[in-house]
Amino acid sequence: MNLTQQLVNGIVLGHAYALIAIGWTVLLGVARLVNFGHGQMYMLGAFVTWYGVSRLGLPYIVSIPFAMLAGVAVGFIMQRVMLRLTLKQDLVSIMIVTLGFGYVLHGAAALTFGSTGQILETPLSTQDIYWGDLWFTYQDIAIVIVAILFFAALKYTIDRTRIGRLARMVAEDPQLAALAGINVKRVYFGVFAFEGAAVALAAALVAPRTPILTSMGFDEVIVTFVVVVLGGIGSVTGSYLAGLALGLFTAFFGAFVSPAYATAAAFAVLIAVLVVRPGGLAVSPGGR
Amino acid sequence: MKALKTLAAATLGAFVLAGPALAQAQQPVKVGVIFPLSGGAGPQGQHVTQAIQAMASIINESGGVMGRQIEILSRDDESTPAVGVSRANELISEGVSVIIEGWNSPVTLAMQPVINRAGILDITAISKADPILSGEGNPLAVRLNSSNSQDGAVIAKYIADRKAKKIAFLTENDAYGNGAQESIEAELKKINYEYEKVAEEKFPFSQADFRVALTNVRAANPDITVAINANEGLGMPALIRQAKQSRLPGQLVTAVGTVAPSVISVAGEAANGVVGADIYFPDVEPFASNEMNKKFVAKTKEMFDYTPDKYMALGAAALQVWAMAANELKTLDKEPIAKRIRGGTFDGTIFGKMQFGPNGQLMSDHKLFTIEDQKIVVRSASN
Amino acid sequence: MNNRPVLEAKDLKVAYGGNLALDLPHLAVRERELVGVVGANGAGKSTLVNGLVGWSRGTPKISGKVLLDGRDISGLPTHERVRSGLLLIPEGKLVFTQMTVEENLSSTSDETDLGQGRRRYSTDEVYGLFPRLHERRHHLGSQLSGGERQMLGIARALRLGPRALLLDEPSIGLAPRLVSTVLDTVRSLVDSGLTVLLVEQNVRAAIEVVDRLVLLERGRIIAEGPAADMRDDPRIAEAYLGAHVA
Amino acid sequence: MSHGMKTILLAILAVLGFFVPMILGGSGAVYAACVLIAIFAVMSYGLDMIVSDLGEVSLAHTVFFAVGAYTTALLSASAGFGPLLSLAGALLMALLVAALLGLVTLQLREFVFSLVTYAVAVVAATVAQNWSFLGGSDGLRGIPAFEISLLGFSARNDRELWPVAYLLLLAAIYVVSSFRRSRLGQAAMMVHLNPRLAVTSGVDPQRTRLQVFLLSAPITASAGWLYAYQRAYISADVLETYFLILMLTAVVVVGRRLLLGPLVGVTLILVQEKFFSFGGYVDKIILGSVLILTLSFLPSGLVGIFAPLRTLFARRQAPLGKPIPERS
């Protein structure tokens, strides 16, 4: 058994997971919103990137912002439609509405992009690196680097900048934030736009690792759940660590037990954590 | 509230009343076809349905069934057993004479008792699970695609011929995958072949990232890796690509019928060198010179601009065999036709001579192939 | 100039689910004036100040006009009324508990031009006003005492450049000594140029600092006048100041 | 209207409902549709209690449906139990699983509750897919026809199964409406709308939640029981999102806390799916859009469109369809 290779697998997977989950973490931390359409937004990001690269002939690096823009657009529409529910914090309805959005996105993407598997090939994903017994691609390196930069930038923004402060104020108490002169609706819009852009960025980077299908997205939502809950809901640093831990767990559980049960095992751990310390999850809102 | 209910009930009623048409002598014979037309398996389900339509028009051109034209009623099971059952019920109430179905085994297993209870003939084209022929859901089952045990023999023979000693399995962890692996191992045992199972990695059907499993397999340094993955849209091409990238040592062999041309087109260059086996190739002997097959291939190309693969051929052959039996017996009734097919032989089909076992399983003839230049190249008959 | 009201409410009505909680034909607060609003529990004091900024933790129906320096701001959402200089320091939760004092005092708006009569207090100025906050500037809001939170609430409002300040029950839950400290600070703010509407239950303390007093009962103004006159008003004297008032 | 009159009217309505498939032509397809609608409506009523009364979104109700179906399949096919015994078994198993799940999630609220219930559903699906005791991915076959020899009753097709399905539906509606009038129902509403008030009124929120959970699970499980007989085959697909979305949509689309809401919701969805289908993808878009639009723009559900009508009906059917304003 090649443990170093599994370590590499786990680290790459972990950064991919953290990147996939980050949009949701912020959404949850700032706006206390859940988005069950997250997986389908990931799918859409992957397909828009693919469309840009292989149908429009755009360079990969141009296709990424293109996909992020699409993600922002979807986020805006979702928030526009759900604004009343968001301000009311009607979580029951919000959860179901986002499930509905996932359905609509899946149906629309399948009608637009077809339902056959596609390969999202990038200049990085086709370049393999063999290093002794180890194997990875430049795409894997890009995932790790972008994830680290993204999390560092996000952490800095939230902790040190005015925008981050505004978001934290809205997260803690939207009504008090309004009395501080903050346009709460705009912050909610911004957070949704961020969610859309972040998940599209994750898709553009992570999706080239495997073939893409319009029916995918379920696994991504599952991963996001685990990362967000284990990381302490709304916590950026926690999400990064939880993503990394989940990646390593998946790799080593796959190595020592079986990949067949990795997801179920991760969920079992999650349930166990929640049973043992149900209160320990309510970490400070605002995403520290 | 009551108004809503009445409204819903009324619309429901209107549609149901409009549904069943009166069966008259010169009315077409209705044939129900249920495959996934959407979702991951959607494109392939659509192709199978199209192939059946092509075969229907071939049959109709040569006089139809008992002088009546065949009308195909196609439905989408969405790869979901519950939806499949609903669709089967719909077709039953439309008065179909036979239902050709089956891409996913659970969908077939769910539909079998429903179709059976309605007294309608049920022909399974592709679903591979062994219980389909167990008689529990349908005592008069017929299935065309090869069974796991038939498939196991050809892969076992290949392993033995290659004198490979270190064997690894990458297996989909469900009834199909586990059954396929078991049958390969059972066949190896039957021919008393000595080998060492150096790795065995199971993964869920929906898996697309095999790097963790491949790392384990690679470390075991196998002579042959057998990949068993029926997820043609996602899993199999991903597995082939990642195996190539990870520089998996030894020969990658895919389980029978898991590498269709669609898999190769997604997997791209990485597919070159992969070995597989299958039961139908449109342009290889004995199919290439089979007049019926040529006609079928031409018709499919003409109607749908597509060269048929194995799945399409199986769907079309299901319709053809049923039409032959009906014409021969001059009946559309379930029981006589099922009994004619089960254990029977048919000449002049797109598969040439087709023979069914007493349990309704088609006897098929496997051929090994290698993928070269992203094309399936059948290995010489000596194999 | 001195007589023109900075803040004016006309026909202000607030209703919760069909029940009229406030019915205010007219109320005005003039430049550099400290107006106190007093009344029993449920008289509509908080409803009044909340209604002026269009803010609530419930979902009331608000109608009527609110004018700030003669400009009608009643169509604006809360955050824009705040930005135009009408600041409410609410009762209860008035600081961000998950943030440090320093962060609570950080600017939430990047506009520099505030317009006539407004000035944004600098961080140093508010620390000068409340040295205690400077000592605790790295503490989280949740670690502050009630008095410190009240100071922080006022300080945060000053940082936003208020034209008029609405204070909702600043003395609630504070020790008597702290009450007078807070109210004295408010008085000195008014003396240095601010306009304040103060809702207070502690009439005895309030009457010492305010210029004018408004008495609310069941959502309506039942008495109004200079503090000195109101002291002798029997409705005030009996209900709020007790027998020992001369 | 007097209480007695209402009861009589309801009884007449209940009797009339039984003849709906006959009125609609009585073809096999109508019976198949009606039986399925009844089964799925019962399934949804279990979830309805959690969503409408407790105000939480349980994503684990497919598990109770599966528990009912799998227990029935195992007891009837392997142990040879009759329908009544297997029903008892299914309800018991559902209670057990619900107690376990209820205790685990007792402390959790809102989205954390939903996430954990979803996790449970995913783990359950993996277990069902892989555990050969439950038939693995091939599922369980050989479920016998619905026969109660004691009563000489046997149902081999949907037409014959209809009386059973209809009775089950009536029973579920009765349980839900009694629940809403019961002290537990009032307590649940209080816990949902005003937890603080609930505590001060002597209601134990956690106990109430657990009790509602324990009442809700067997309802959904009983739907699984009949589904096993109706389909004669059970596989892990009963844990798929298809059923989850079906249930959720049925519960919310017409309007929350309307007694006949889930039934009408299921009817609308299945009629669309069966008779107005535009193919899987367009159906998905339709179902998703209906969910989005009703929840986002019609706060009181589809009945909001018929607001004037509703007041009419509210008067006539007060005990049945009385809307209670949702949480503000």
Side-chain angles (χ1 to χ4, degrees):
Chain A
M1 188 165 303
N2 189 341
L3 284 182
T4 331
Q5 177 71 58
Q6 293 296 20
L7 189 66
V8 170
N9 292 339
I11 289 173
V12 174
L13 264 184
H15 283 84
Y17 290 165
L19 206 50
I20 291 171
I22 189 57
W24 221 56
T25 300
V26 172
L27 191 64
L28 199 49
V30 174
R32 289 180 53 76
L33 285 181
V34 287
N35 178 9
F36 281 84
H38 188 78
Q40 277 72 36
M41 288 172 78
Y42 174 87
M43 176 276 294
L44 190 71
F47 267 90
V48 173
T49 315
W50 167 81
Y51 193 82
V53 169
S54 55
R55 290 292 182 269
L56 303 181
L58 300 174
Y60 178 50
I61 202 81
V62 179
S63 286
I64 296 178
F66 185 56
M68 289 170 78
L69 266 178
V72 169
V74 172
F76 260 123
I77 294 171
M78 284 180 88
Q79 175 56 5
R80 182 69 209 87
V81 171
M82 301 198 307
L83 188 61
R84 193 182 62 82
L85 300 175
T86 313
L87 293 176
K88 249 173 65 183
Q89 283 281 306
D90 182 354
L91 282 173
V92 171
S93 296
I94 287 171
M95 275 192 267
I96 302 170
V97 168
T98 55
L99 268 174
F101 265 108
Y103 251 52
V104 172
L105 285 179
H106 177 196
L111 291 175
T112 316
F113 300 112
S115 51
T116 42
Q118 302 289 355
I119 294 284
L120 170 53
E121 219 148 58
T122 77
L124 301 173
S125 66
T126 46
Q127 308 244 15
D128 296 297
I129 303 167
Y130 300 96
W131 201 21
D133 209 16
L134 296 182
W135 159 65
F136 44 93
T137 64
Y138 278 101
Q139 188 77 33
D140 297 339
I141 296 178
I143 290 171
V144 174
I145 293 176
V146 172
I148 290 173
L149 290 179
F150 196 82
F151 270 84
L154 182 63
K155 178 106 181 89
Y156 176 83
T157 309
I158 286 181
D159 283 354
R160 306 276 139 143
T161 66
R162 196 173 74 85
I163 289 185
R165 249 185 350 252
L166 299 192
R168 264 155 55 210
M169 286 178 170
V170 172
E172 187 186 323
D173 189 338
Q175 269 131 344
L176 192 57
L179 287 185
I182 297 169
N183 188 343
V184 176
K185 279 186 202 175
R186 225 162 81 189
V187 172
Y188 282 158
F189 267 113
V191 166
F192 245 98
F194 174 82
E195 145 86 334
V199 74
L201 173 70
L205 281 161
V206 179
R209 280 168 59 88
T210 58
I212 54 175
L213 274 177
T214 43
S215 53
M216 71 184 183
F218 183 72
D219 291 341
E220 283 72 19
V221 169
I222 302 240
V223 160
T224 304
F225 283 176
V226 181
V227 170
V228 166
V229 177
L230 282 186
I233 287 153
S235 159
V236 171
T237 319
S239 266
Y240 176 77
L241 294 176
L244 191 57
L246 182 64
L248 291 169
F249 177 83
T250 306
F252 285 104
F253 190 89
F256 291 113
V257 189
S258 167
Y261 303 106
T263 310
F267 263 174
V269 171
L270 175 82
I271 295 169
V273 167
L274 286 171
V275 175
V276 174
R277 40 180 293 238
L281 294 158
V283 166
S284 65
R288 274 175 184 243
Chain B
M1 186 57 58
K2 205 173 80 188
L4 265 180
K5 200 179 167 191
T6 321
L7 189 75
T11 39
L12 186 136
F15 270 75
V16 172
L17 287 173
L22 296 169
Q24 285 175 0
Q26 279 318 304
Q27 290 278 324
V29 180
K30 289 176 179 170
V31 171
V33 174
I34 309 179
F35 287 100
L37 303 177
S38 57
Q44 281 149 324
Q46 285 171 15
H47 285 152
V48 175
T49 307
Q50 289 168 348
I52 295 173
Q53 274 159 346
M55 178 53 75
S57 68
I58 293 176
I59 295 171
N60 285 340
E61 281 162 20
S62 55
V65 171
M66 292 158 62
R68 291 160 61 184
Q69 297 282 294
I70 293 175
E71 186 194 343
I72 301 287
L73 301 180
S74 155
R75 292 289 185 275
D76 180 4
D77 65 33
E78 299 175 30
S79 298
T80 307
V83 177
V85 170
S86 300
R87 301 294 180 238
N89 271 321
E90 267 171 62
L91 290 177
I92 291 165
S93 64
E94 294 259 3
V96 295
S97 302
V98 59
I99 292 178
I100 299 171
E101 47 75 27
W103 182 271
N104 301 287
S105 295
V107 182
T108 296
L109 287 166
M111 290 193 288
Q112 269 190 322
V114 172
I115 303 173
N116 177 48
R117 275 190 243 154
I120 288 169
L121 182 62
D122 174 9
I123 302 181
T124 304
I126 289 144
S127 304
K128 280 185 100 114
D130 292 332
I132 290 170
L133 297 174
S134 69
E136 285 169 301
N138 177 10
L140 293 173
V142 174
R143 195 248 311 269
L144 275 79
N145 201 4
S146 58
S147 70
N148 270 338
S149 57
Q150 292 171 314
D151 296 346
V154 65
I155 302 294
K157 184 170 182 301
Y158 173 79
I159 292 171
D161 287 348
R162 284 279 302 248
K163 299 192 169 51
K165 291 296 173 199
K166 290 194 282 183
I167 313 295
F169 288 97
L170 271 166
T171 304
E172 178 184 317
N173 189 37
D174 61 9
Y176 158 69
N178 293 327
Q181 186 187 328
E182 269 166 34
S183 76
I184 294 170
E185 294 196 79
E187 290 293 331
L188 284 169
K189 205 167 184 180
K190 218 155 83 183
I191 56 175
N192 267 323
Y193 184 75
E194 292 275 326
Y195 68 99
E196 187 195 349
K197 184 158 72 175
V198 292
E200 179 187 65
E201 293 294 318
K202 306 260 173 122
F203 51 83
F205 176 81
S206 57
Q207 187 99 3
D209 186 345
F210 300 94
R211 289 167 177 85
V212 170
L214 281 167
T215 303
N216 286 349
V217 173
R218 203 165 55 134
N221 198 24
D223 299 325
I224 283 185
T225 301
V226 183
I228 306 167
N229 187 348
N231 188 351
E232 281 146 344
L234 191 67
M236 198 46 149
L239 202 160
I240 291 172
R241 286 173 68 93
Q242 290 160 22
K244 183 78 145 206
Q245 283 183 301
S246 72
R247 295 190 171 167
L248 185 71
Q251 176 66 48
L252 183 66
V253 179
T254 56
V256 171
T258 53
V259 174
S262 60
V263 171
I264 300 173
S265 79
V266 178
E269 281 178 13
N272 294 340
V274 170
V275 168
D278 222 323
I279 57 173
Y280 172 85
F281 307 92
D283 42 11
V284 169
E285 291 305 342
F287 301 101
S289 62
N290 173 349
E291 282 308 318
M292 189 60 222
N293 182 52
K294 278 199 225 166
K295 209 166 161 183
F296 166 62
V297 173
K299 193 78 187 176
T300 321
K301 276 188 177 159
E302 175 202 320
M303 286 175 71
F304 302 106
D305 195 23
Y306 201 86
T307 309
D309 60 14
K310 179 211 27 199
Y311 301 119
M312 300 171 71
L314 287 173
L319 181 66
Q320 193 184 15
V321 166
W322 170 79
M324 282 175 157
N327 275 332
E328 191 186 307
L329 302 172
K330 302 264 173 285
T331 180
L332 296 173
D333 291 345
K334 169 188 177 177
E335 211 166 306
I337 295 183
K339 287 186 170 152
R340 167 68 184 86
I341 298 176
R342 288 160 68 94
T345 309
F346 295 86
D347 275 312
T349 74
I350 51 177
F351 280 81
K353 183 179 166 184
M354 284 171 84
Q355 196 189 340
F356 287 87
N359 63 349
Q361 171 68 50
L362 173 68
M363 303 295 159
S364 39
D365 187 17
H366 290 73
K367 285 184 171 34
L368 283 167
F369 64 81
T370 311
I371 300 167
E372 289 168 16
D373 280 338
Q374 299 180 46
K375 294 228 159 45
I376 288 176
V377 179
V378 175
R379 297 161 73 99
S380 60
S382 66
N383 266 330
Chain C
M1 179 74 193
N2 211 21
N3 269 344
R4 198 183 108 187
V6 171
L7 178 66
E8 201 175 359
K10 287 178 180 165
D11 275 329
L12 188 64
K13 288 192 175 79
V14 181
Y16 286 93
N19 296 327
L20 206 57
L22 184 77
D23 185 359
L24 200 73
H26 187 254
L27 177 77
V29 186
R30 285 182 185 76
E31 180 108 46
R32 292 188 173 213
E33 192 179 26
L34 173 53
V35 175
V37 179
V38 297
N41 258 337
K45 306 189 297 291
S46 293
T47 307
L48 166 59
V49 279
N50 291 349
L52 287 171
V53 285
W55 183 83
S56 168
R57 291 196 190 258
T59 43
K61 273 207 159 49
I62 306 175
S63 64
K65 271 189 181 174
V66 177
L67 307 171
L68 188 67
D69 282 325
R71 177 182 160 225
D72 185 1
I73 57 168
S74 44
L76 300 179
T78 301
H79 70 272
E80 280 181 36
R81 298 195 203 190
V82 168
R83 286 182 180 195
S84 56
L86 183 60
L87 275 138
L88 168 66
I89 299 160
E91 187 215 320
K93 186 163 189 283
L94 39 71
V95 300
F96 293 99
T97 52
Q98 313 280 326
M99 300 180 127
T100 61
V101 169
E102 205 162 44
E103 282 178 324
N104 261 289
L105 291 175
S106 61
S107 167
T108 52
S109 148
D110 47 6
E111 291 158 67
T112 45
D113 183 29
L114 294 181
Q116 56 139 142
R118 291 180 64 191
R119 188 171 71 79
R120 206 192 295 279
Y121 282 62
S122 72
T123 330
D124 289 340
E125 276 177 285
V126 295
Y127 282 150
L129 218 52
F130 304 106
R132 184 79 187 127
L133 292 181
H134 185 252
E135 283 165 36
R136 313 212 64 179
R137 64 188 182 281
H138 297 306
H139 286 74
L140 286 181
S142 56
Q143 296 167 314
L144 300 184
S145 71
E148 288 165 345
R149 288 184 198 206
Q150 200 54 251
M151 294 175 200
L152 182 54
I154 296 171
R156 216 189 48 239
L158 295 178
R159 290 278 292 120
L160 287 163
R163 173 74 180 129
L165 204 57
L166 310 172
L167 267 158
D168 195 358
E169 311 250 8
S171 72
I172 212 159
L174 298 188
R177 191 176 45 83
L178 268 174
V179 172
S180 57
T181 315
V182 167
L183 292 184
D184 288 345
T185 313
V186 173
R187 180 72 242 177
S188 69
L189 285 171
V190 172
D191 294 339
S192 65
L194 215 58
T195 305
V196 174
L197 184 67
L198 168 76
V199 166
E200 194 44 83
Q201 217 172 21
N202 189 339
V203 180
R204 199 174 302 168
I207 212 158
E208 301 297 331
V209 291
V210 300
D211 299 317
R212 220 146 47 85
L213 203 63
V214 174
L215 177 62
L216 275 188
E217 211 176 283
R218 290 201 207 109
R220 284 164 216 276
I221 296 178
I222 55 162
E224 187 178 359
D229 302 352
M230 293 294 280
R231 197 186 289 270
D232 304 327
D233 188 298
R235 284 165 298 195
I236 298 274
E238 281 162 28
Y240 300 100
L241 300 177
H244 65 277
V245 168
Chain D
M1 201 182 298
S2 76
H3 187 73
M5 280 279 283
K6 268 188 274 184
T7 319
I8 293 168
L9 205 79
L10 284 176
I12 292 172
L13 207 74
V15 171
L16 278 181
F18 179 74
F19 295 101
V20 164
M22 276 146 261
I23 296 163
L24 294 174
S27 74
V30 169
Y31 273 101
C34 287
V35 168
L36 264 194
I37 286 171
I39 292 176
F40 291 161
V42 173
M43 170 180 86
S44 309
Y45 273 112
L47 181 66
D48 187 31
M49 280 187 172
I50 307 287
V51 172
S52 302
D53 297 87
L54 268 191
E56 299 281 4
V57 180
S58 160
L59 302 177
H61 263 60
T62 47
V63 175
F64 300 130
F65 186 60
V67 163
Y70 269 101
T71 311
T72 304
L74 286 170
L75 289 180
S76 65
S78 314
F81 281 29
L84 293 179
L85 275 178
S86 57
L87 175 62
L91 297 183
L92 204 68
M93 275 306 289
L95 276 176
L96 267 171
V97 176
L100 200 71
L101 193 59
L103 286 173
V104 166
T105 56
L106 209 55
Q107 306 282 339
L108 309 174
R109 294 288 178 280
E110 294 182 335
F111 56 82
V112 184
F113 175 82
S114 300
L115 294 189
V116 172
T117 49
Y118 196 63
V120 169
V122 171
V123 172
T126 316
V127 169
Q129 282 274 354
N130 291 293
W131 194 12
S132 54
F133 176 66
L134 298 179
S137 58
D138 272 353
L140 292 168
R141 303 167 309 279
I143 300 167
F146 190 100
E147 276 177 27
I148 305 176
S149 44
L150 211 68
L151 305 174
F153 179 85
S154 99
R156 312 202 145 266
N157 55 36
D158 286 330
R159 190 188 305 263
E160 291 165 6
L161 206 55
W162 167 245
V164 182
Y166 190 67
L167 264 179
L168 188 66
L169 176 64
L170 286 184
I173 293 178
Y174 177 75
V175 170
V176 172
S177 79
S178 324
F179 159 75
R180 292 210 168 127
R181 276 183 273 115
S182 72
R183 277 199 17 221
L184 178 62
Q186 314 279 344
M189 231 22 221
M190 233 197 274
V191 169
H192 169 188
L193 295 174
N194 197 339
R196 224 177 305 169
L197 182 68
V199 175
T200 52
S201 327
V203 173
D204 179 351
Q206 298 195 345
R207 199 184 140 98
T208 305
R209 284 164 59 95
L210 193 61
Q211 282 173 336
V212 176
F213 220 69
L214 287 177
L215 184 61
S216 136
I219 296 178
T220 301
S222 69
W225 163 75
L226 194 56
Y227 194 54
Y229 281 107
Q230 197 255 352
R231 218 170 75 168
Y233 165 76
I234 286 302
S235 73
D237 76 283
V238 289
L239 287 156
E240 272 179 21
T241 8
Y242 170 81
F243 290 98
L244 182 61
I245 300 267
L246 180 65
M247 266 191 266
L248 278 174
T249 313
V251 167
V252 300
V253 80
V254 180
R256 262 174 264 174
R257 224 167 175 273
L258 293 173
L259 190 59
L260 292 185
L263 175 60
V264 177
V266 165
T267 309
L268 288 175
I269 299 164
L270 284 196
V271 166
Q272 192 270 326
E273 192 184 286
K274 280 174 174 288
F275 305 104
F276 297 87
S277 176
F278 300 92
Y281 297 134
V282 180
D283 284 358
K284 267 199 156 72
I285 296 180
I286 293 175
L287 189 56
S289 307
V290 167
L291 269 180
I292 296 168
L293 296 177
T294 40
L295 284 175
S296 303
F297 300 112
L298 298 170
S300 43
L302 276 184
V303 279
I305 303 179
F306 306 101
L309 280 177
R310 190 179 56 180
T311 53
L312 245 159
F313 281 115
R315 224 173 302 144
R316 219 183 304 163
Q317 286 196 349
L320 270 185
K322 186 179 177 189
I324 286 191
E326 55 175 314
R327 166 163 63 155
S328 66

